[in-house]
Structure formats: structure tokens, C-alpha cells
Amino acid sequence: EEARKLAEQLRDRQGELNRTLNSLDLAYRLLQRTSHELALARAEAEEARRFKEQFAANISHELRTPLNLILGFSELMHLSPDVYGDVNWTSALRRDIAHIYTASQHLLQLVDDVLDLSRLEAERMPLRREPVNLNALVEEAVATAKELARGRPLQIELELDPAIPWLSLDAGRMRQVMLNLLNNAIRFTRDGWVRVRTVKRGAEVFLTVEDRGPGIAAQDRERIFDEFYQASFGAGSGTGLGLAIAKRFVQMHGGRIWVESEPGKGSCFYVCLPAGARPAA
């Protein structure tokens, strides 16, 4: 009797084992099929990314050629109208040419931003690191940005920490980050001041750009660094790419970027970089 019971238990356990093996076999086949589908999806995504990058490069090239022509002639008419001889440059005509010149500059910058974003997504934009004096780079960017505020009751203040060490940076990319932040601050601050600071704290270096603009609502702060996102007060004022590109460049340097803001009280953008001192070249 005991042997019979043991045999029944053995048959039951053998049945359970067979069912488990069947389940494992089914799960293995499902896993294989899923892995195959994932590999196909990955290949399709990679192919789509290559097509996207190629499309962005081609369309940027095609757009840049006529844009450079428009920009060149509008710049000539705007800045050196005397080369056209005895032409009646009325104030309305000069104003319209100035608008064409400004719009073509803006459109060319948008084309460059789209191309930069495509290269960043494809991870094909390497950093060219070199020893950089961050304070000097900030002063250069501020000097360029002051042209944007010319003729407006707006002061750009500088507070530079002399203890900032030389950093291993891609100077061109970090200059673009600073100009993007300064451009936003100047665009949304009608009067008052924009303050740029650098400070070293421990093993990190901080760059801040503070303005007295309209501030950023909480729901916008969560997405302000997303691609093509525009805050509610900035609709139609930009491309929604500047901050996204700035974030990518800062992260490529091993740093981080964020914003602190309150509606009606301005905004302050922070860029934090590892100190990583390098001797002057």
C-alpha cells in the first residue's frame, strides 16, 4: 500500500515536473521571439535615426545656401547702403531691410540648432577639450550678449570668482551654452538687470545667469529643457531648442543644469561643472 502511494506521488510530481518543463519551454520560446523582435526594433530604430540625421544634414545644407545669400545681401543693405550709390533709402525701407536681416539671422540659427540636435541624438558630436579659463570665456560671451541689449534700459552685471581654476572644456560648446542662457535672459527681461556669476565650491564650479524677467511657472520648469518646448510666456519667442542643446552640452562635460524661478520674480539658471583643474597651456 505504501509503495502504491509513493508511486502515485511520484506520478503526480512527474506530471508537475512535465508541466513545469513545458511552461519553461514555452517561456524560452517567447523569450527568443521577444529578443528577435527587440533586435529588429533596435535595427529599425537605428536605421530611422540614421535617416533622421541624414535628412537633417541635407535639409540644413539646402536651407543654409539660400539663407546665407539672403543674409549677406540684407546685411550689406542694412549696414553699408552707400555701396548701392544714389538710392533713396527711406526710413520705412531701411526698417524693412533691418527686419529681413534680423529674421534671416534667426532662421539661420534655427537651422544650426536643428543640425546640432540631430548630431547630439546620434552621439556624433565629440567634445574638443582643452584647458579653458572659464572667467575669460564668460566675459567674452557677455560682451557678445551686450549687443542684444543695446538701446534698452538693461544692465548686464558680472561677478567673477578669481579662484576659478582652468577647466578641461570644449570652449565652443560652453560658449554656446552661455550665449543661449544670456539670450533667454535678455529676451525676457525688458528692463532692470541680468547678473552673471561664477563661483567655486569644493570640487565644483558654478555658473549662474539670473534675470528679472517674468519668471517660470512650476509646470513649465519641469519641461523647460525638453526639445521644442516653449514656456507659456514664451510662445512664439524662440525655437524651444536652445535650452535642450545647452543641457546636452553640459551633461557631455559631466555637469548638470537646472533653473530656480518664481512667477513675477525672475529666474536663475545654474550650470555646475566638475572643477578638474588644468594648468594653463
Side-chain angles (χ1 to χ4, degrees), residues 166-180:
W166 285 67
L167 305 178
S168 178
L169 304 173
D170 185 319
R173 303 306 176 199
M174 286 309 303
R175 185 183 296 108
Q176 188 171 348
V177 170
M178 296 176 204
L179 287 174
N180 283 344

Side-chain angles (χ1 to χ4, degrees), residues 2-281:
E2 178 133 0
R4 186 183 64 76
K5 289 181 180 180
L6 289 174
E8 289 178 354
Q9 291 177 2
L10 181 60
R11 283 195 301 272
D12 291 342
R13 293 186 179 181
Q14 186 66 42
E16 291 176 1
L17 180 60
N18 289 336
R19 287 192 293 272
T20 302
L21 288 174
N22 289 335
S23 298
L24 286 174
D25 184 58
L26 178 61
Y28 177 71
R29 289 198 300 271
L30 289 173
L31 181 61
Q32 281 187 315
R33 187 169 65 183
T34 303
S35 298
H36 179 67
E37 291 174 352
L38 284 174
L40 290 177
R42 188 181 299 110
E44 290 175 358
E46 182 64 29
E47 187 71 13
R49 190 172 68 174
R50 283 196 298 269
F51 278 127
K52 179 181 178 182
E53 182 190 6
Q54 187 62 45
F55 172 78
N58 289 342
I59 199 67
S60 297
H61 173 74
E62 295 299 329
L63 289 174
R64 192 178 281 111
T65 301
L67 268 176
N68 282 328
L69 187 65
I70 296 170
L71 187 60
F73 278 113
S74 60
E75 181 179 17
L76 188 64
M77 288 185 283
H78 177 54
L79 302 179
S80 305
D82 52 292
V83 301
Y84 288 93
D86 189 17
V87 176
N88 182 22
W89 295 95
T90 65
S91 58
L93 179 59
R94 294 290 298 274
R95 184 178 61 251
D96 291 344
I97 290 174
H99 287 325
I100 293 171
Y101 177 54
T102 303
S104 58
Q105 283 182 310
H106 177 72
L107 190 54
L108 189 61
Q109 183 60 54
L110 174 57
V111 171
D112 289 338
D113 284 348
V114 170
L115 185 58
D116 282 348
L117 189 63
S118 175
R119 288 172 176 169
L120 282 168
E121 289 180 346
E123 299 179 352
R124 294 180 183 176
M125 184 178 283
L127 293 179
R128 296 177 177 85
R129 290 181 180 267
E130 57 183 345
V132 172
N133 184 329
L134 182 64
N135 283 343
L137 197 64
V138 170
E139 287 180 327
E140 179 185 335
V142 167
T144 301
K146 281 183 177 179
E147 296 299 316
L148 301 173
R150 179 180 293 181
R152 294 167 54 187
L154 180 64
Q155 295 293 323
I156 301 181
E157 303 175 0
L158 264 177
E159 295 181 12
L160 303 179
D161 184 352
I164 299 292
W166 285 67
L167 305 178
S168 178
L169 304 173
D170 185 319
R173 303 306 176 199
M174 286 309 303
R175 185 183 296 108
Q176 188 171 348
V177 170
M178 296 176 204
L179 287 174
N180 283 344
L181 295 179
L182 285 166
N183 182 49
N184 280 348
I186 292 170
R187 179 189 300 147
F188 296 116
T189 305
R190 294 183 178 180
D191 52 42
W193 50 262
V194 171
R195 183 175 295 129
V196 182
R197 293 191 184 101
T198 60
V199 63
K200 184 178 184 295
R201 296 176 186 167
E204 295 179 320
V205 170
F206 290 83
L207 165 70
T208 63
V209 178
E210 186 178 3
D211 64 63
R212 295 290 89 184
I216 305 170
Q219 67 270 19
D220 290 323
R221 289 198 300 271
E222 298 296 324
R223 301 186 56 195
I224 196 91
F225 294 100
D226 291 350
E227 298 159 12
F228 298 104
Y229 182 77
Q230 295 175 328
S232 55
F233 61 84
S237 301
T239 64
L241 286 175
L243 290 178
I245 291 173
K247 181 179 179 180
R248 297 285 190 93
F249 284 156
V250 170
Q251 290 176 335
M252 288 169 68
H253 282 86
R256 59 189 191 277
I257 182 172
W258 70 95
V259 63
E260 294 178 1
S261 181
E262 188 175 338
K265 296 185 178 180
S267 306
C268 187
F269 285 83
Y270 294 81
V271 174
C272 177
L273 298 169
R278 293 291 185 276

